[in-house]
Amino acid sequence: MRIGELAARAGTTTRTLRYYESRGLLPARREGNGYRSYDESDLRLLRQIRTLQDFGFDLEETRPFVECLRAGHPEGDSCPASLAVYRRKLAELDGLISQLTGVRQLARAELAAEAEAPGGPEPRCELGGRTW
């Protein structure tokens, strides 16, 4: 299939596909007339990239998953490098959850203090040295 058909089937744009090609994530096969040519395996790569990006992975973090699929594995997350990216992403999310839990606890304490002393100071949220 040509680039326009692949873009339509993947729900993206030809510009995005050219960008992925320039980043080495999507192989660039050319026909005799110079047109780009793709097959179902390329669509699978694109779906893997798009799914991971929908889950918050940046483009470079998708590379191990794409390479795993290119190596012939049935799933992009069945290789050690892919699993390492999952572990890093989970650690990052755990850190964010911890921060947000702290904010929630602070907000609850501020609201409880306000309930005890009506008309007191406005609740404040302090996070990372900033006050809102």
Side-chain angles (χ1 to χ4, degrees), residues 61-110:
E61 288 173 321
T62 69
R63 186 174 301 281
F65 298 88
V66 169
E67 290 172 354
C68 190
L69 287 172
R70 278 190 184 159
H73 294 274
E75 301 295 329
D77 60 0
S78 60
C79 296
S82 304
L83 294 174
V85 172
Y86 270 152
R87 286 184 193 103
R88 281 194 305 272
K89 185 57 86 175
L90 286 173
E92 178 184 321
L93 292 173
D94 286 342
L96 291 172
I97 289 169
S98 178
Q99 283 182 330
L100 292 172
T101 300
V103 169
R104 178 178 282 160
Q105 291 169 346
L106 178 61
R108 284 183 185 149
E110 293 278 349

Side-chain angles (χ1 to χ4, degrees), residues 3 6-7 12-28 30 36 38 46 49-50 53 57-63 70:
I3 194 169
L6 179 63
T12 191
T13 65
T14 57
R15 182 177 179 181
T16 298
L17 300 185
R18 287 187 197 100
Y19 179 69
Y20 291 169
E21 179 185 323
S22 74
R23 300 295 307 260
L25 292 169
L26 188 64
R30 301 283 181 157
R36 291 171 174 88
Y38 302 96
L46 279 174
I49 293 168
R50 306 272 302 173
Q53 286 192 302
F57 289 74
D58 67 35
L59 189 58
E60 194 56 36
E61 288 173 321
T62 69
R63 186 174 301 281
R70 278 190 184 159

